[in-house]
Amino acid sequence: MTTRRGTLGGHTYEFPSLVELMAKATPARSGDVLAGCAAESAAERVAAQTLLADLPLATFLEEQVVDYDEDDVTRLIVDTHDAAAFAPVASLTVGEFRDRLLSWAAVGDEAAISGLAPGLTPEMVAATSKLMRNADLIAVGRRTRVVTALRSTLGLPGRLASRLQPNHPTDDPLGVTASIVDGLLQGSGDAVIGINPATDSPGQTIALLELVDAVITRYDIPTQSCVLAHVTTTLRALEQGAPVDLVFQSVAGTQAANRGFGVTLDLLAEARAGALELRRGTVGGNVTYFETGQGSALSADAHRGIGGRPVDQQTLEARSYAVARHFEPLLVNTVVGFIGPEYLYDGKQVIRAGLEDHFCGKLLGLPMGVDVCYTNHAEVDGDDTDTLTLLLGAAGCSFVIAVPGSDDVMLHYQSLSFSDVLTARQVLGLRPAPEFEAWLARMDLLDEGGRVRELTPDAPAARALLAAATS
């Protein structure tokens, strides 16, 4: 480990390891205070950021934040690194890399930015994000192109997709169906119709999969379904012939945290292979879906790095993207405010984390979405989520998550409503995924300007969908 020193205002600050340098350079958040790794003052943070800016990017190939021999995520990062993709920026420092990204973004060079993904490690992009203001994160994210597809195409420029989340506290089929129809009639669901089941039983998972598949099939909706059960439950559903479009799993940035989730890299590979065998895609073959969130490793006491030192939660979040990237996902999203104020205390921290996560995920080659959400005991409100949603739309976010009325009655947290997605699209001039947009037109749900309109008597196809849901 190399001790790095920086002097600011006549005071010398010491950072005994890369782990501590990264942590101290991180913008303030409650989770790092809880972990005991946050900068103790703004001056210490600036000193760490100054040293980080002068650190060669190649350092992250030589020094690890989590031990290679003890952590399979670190081994995945190191062993799959693409030296050829890294070559265009291999000689740069972190600060120079930041400047190069902003330069490319300013001239709209998407190919230069997007082509770097296989050559970047999570620690590289996390370090770079720590030197960026919110506008920088937005500018680069907007110019980073990641396109994926299964039955709809996601990540195209000028598009903002949404996950329709029809959760119900008892998985009641009528309640779930009503929420699905409500979302479809408001133009949501092009990313996925994804349900958090109230229980993790294989039987209930299969029942929900069959319910959503029946709706998609009957009305020929170009989207995919997902029941967000544990990957082992999905494997059992696959064995029983269930209509599985996407394999879902929450993942984290250390082997210990993933062990806490009950998953391994081999298990994820097995489930992905099973879903690929079904060949359910029509326009693509991405069959995995991952959720992440800052603070997940810390909440499992699985956040330790080299020498037992706590790794900051944003760096660990970026490491979870290496896990997701390995399995070529259709969708990845961070649940940015779901874990609680212990990790992201207020609206300012939630907004910052959402933009960081989106930037880091996109730069690493992920189809990045965000669950713009918060728990009711956090210092966050609807104005904060409005702000983050519009900023993410400007940043080229692949998708957001929406529930009826913005109140998830099963998970007991606040998210976006279907109308919030429509507002973001209208304000920013964005549209749904192309296949789904064409379906909305066939259902007479778009006006002359391509905006989703209210249900009217001259929309018989949409009215038939509504009638089927209430019959």
Side-chain angles (χ1 to χ4, degrees):
M1 292 184 289
T2 302
T3 296
R4 297 174 173 91
R5 298 177 178 86
T7 300
L8 187 70
H11 182 81
T12 298
Y13 297 91
E14 291 193 354
F15 307 98
S17 69
L18 184 60
V19 171
E20 285 155 302
L21 180 65
M22 292 279 279
K24 302 294 187 183
T26 305
R29 66 208 58 205
S30 54
D32 291 340
V33 174
L34 180 64
C37 64
E40 295 182 5
S41 66
E44 185 180 28
R45 181 173 298 110
V46 171
Q49 290 172 337
T50 302
L51 287 170
L52 191 60
D54 291 335
L55 195 72
L57 275 181
T59 302
F60 295 101
L61 300 176
E62 302 159 1
E63 294 184 49
Q64 305 305 321
V65 299
V66 183
D67 190 83
Y68 178 94
D69 293 327
E70 298 178 2
D71 187 89
D72 61 2
V73 177
T74 300
R75 293 194 292 275
L76 178 68
I77 292 167
V78 174
D79 295 348
T80 61
H81 179 255
D82 187 330
F86 182 55
V89 295
S91 64
L92 303 182
T93 65
V94 175
E96 289 169 341
F97 181 50
R98 168 194 176 274
D99 293 345
R100 183 71 59 85
L101 288 172
L102 290 171
S103 176
W104 281 331
V107 299
D109 193 345
E110 294 183 357
I113 299 173
S114 305
L116 294 173
L120 299 178
T121 71
E123 291 84 357
M124 290 177 190
V125 301
T128 305
S129 74
K130 297 175 194 297
L131 306 182
M132 289 180 145
R133 292 171 56 182
N134 287 357
D136 300 335
L137 299 171
I138 293 168
V140 177
R142 183 178 181 83
R143 295 301 185 185
T144 309
R145 187 67 51 216
V146 181
V147 178
T148 58
L150 188 65
R151 287 200 289 270
S152 59
T153 304
L154 307 174
L156 294 170
R159 308 278 176 171
L160 176 63
S162 63
R163 168 182 156 191
L164 195 172
Q165 184 167 293
N167 294 349
H168 190 279
T170 64
D171 291 337
D172 176 67
L174 182 58
V176 171
T177 303
S179 294
I180 292 173
V181 172
D182 186 20
L184 291 171
L185 293 178
Q186 296 185 65
S188 281
D190 45 341
V192 64
I193 301 175
I195 305 172
N196 296 97
T199 67
D200 203 48
S201 75
Q204 190 63 26
T205 295
I206 292 171
L208 289 171
L209 284 168
E210 291 175 343
L211 185 156
V212 182
D213 184 63
V215 174
I216 290 174
T217 301
R218 180 172 180 179
Y219 295 97
D220 195 23
I221 307 170
T223 190
Q224 33 282 322
S225 69
C226 185
V227 174
L228 283 71
H230 192 269
V231 65
T232 54
T233 303
T234 303
L235 273 168
R236 294 179 66 181
L238 282 166
E239 292 168 357
Q240 296 181 47
V244 174
D245 290 335
L246 297 176
V247 169
F248 169 83
Q249 183 56 47
S250 295
V251 294
T254 67
Q255 180 176 343
N258 285 322
R259 186 186 304 119
F261 284 140
V263 297
T264 64
L265 300 181
D266 288 343
L267 187 61
L268 295 174
E270 179 186 355
R272 176 176 179 266
L276 283 171
E277 288 181 2
L278 297 183
R279 301 182 183 277
R280 291 179 60 82
T282 56
V283 293
N286 300 107
V287 297
T288 57
Y289 177 14
F290 298 103
E291 279 193 340
T292 66
Q294 288 196 28
S296 58
L298 174 58
S299 67
D301 193 28
H303 61 295
R304 303 286 174 178
I306 297 290
R309 293 169 171 81
V311 182
D312 70 272
Q313 66 182 38
Q314 191 252 336
T315 297
L316 289 176
E317 170 71 5
R319 283 171 55 90
S320 72
Y321 303 153
V323 177
R325 177 172 65 177
H326 187 63
F327 298 102
E328 301 180 13
L330 176 75
L331 305 165
V332 177
N333 71 260
T334 169
V335 281
V336 74
F338 180 69
I339 303 181
E342 300 89 348
Y343 308 96
L344 296 169
Y345 178 72
D346 58 16
K348 182 176 182 178
Q349 292 188 10
V350 166
I351 290 168
R352 172 72 191 188
L355 295 175
E356 285 173 348
D357 293 352
H358 176 259
F359 164 86
C360 289
K362 288 282 287 292
L363 205 55
L364 288 167
L366 293 184
M368 202 66 194
V370 177
D371 187 356
V372 181
C373 63
Y374 62 95
T375 57
N376 287 314
H377 63 308
E379 294 295 320
V380 187
D381 60 25
D383 288 337
D384 297 316
T385 55
D386 287 347
T387 299
L388 179 54
T389 303
L390 291 172
L391 291 175
L392 287 168
C397 185
S398 183
F399 72 103
V400 291
I401 294 177
V403 302
S406 78
D407 186 4
D408 192 304
V409 296
M410 197 275 282
L411 294 176
H412 302 294
Y413 77 115
Q414 305 306 124
S415 187
L416 300 180
S417 69
F418 303 132
S419 61
D420 290 330
V421 179
L422 293 180
T423 298
R425 286 175 178 162
Q426 182 177 4
V427 169
L428 299 171
L430 302 172
R431 297 154 59 191
E435 299 87 354
F436 192 79
E437 184 179 41
W439 178 81
L440 290 172
R442 293 198 303 271
M443 298 295 286
D444 301 314
L445 284 171
L446 299 182
D447 64 15
E448 294 78 5
R451 296 181 296 267
V452 174
R453 64 176 180 174
E454 292 185 22
L455 192 59
T456 58
D458 61 337
R463 287 196 168 275
L465 173 62
L466 180 62
T470 56
S471 63

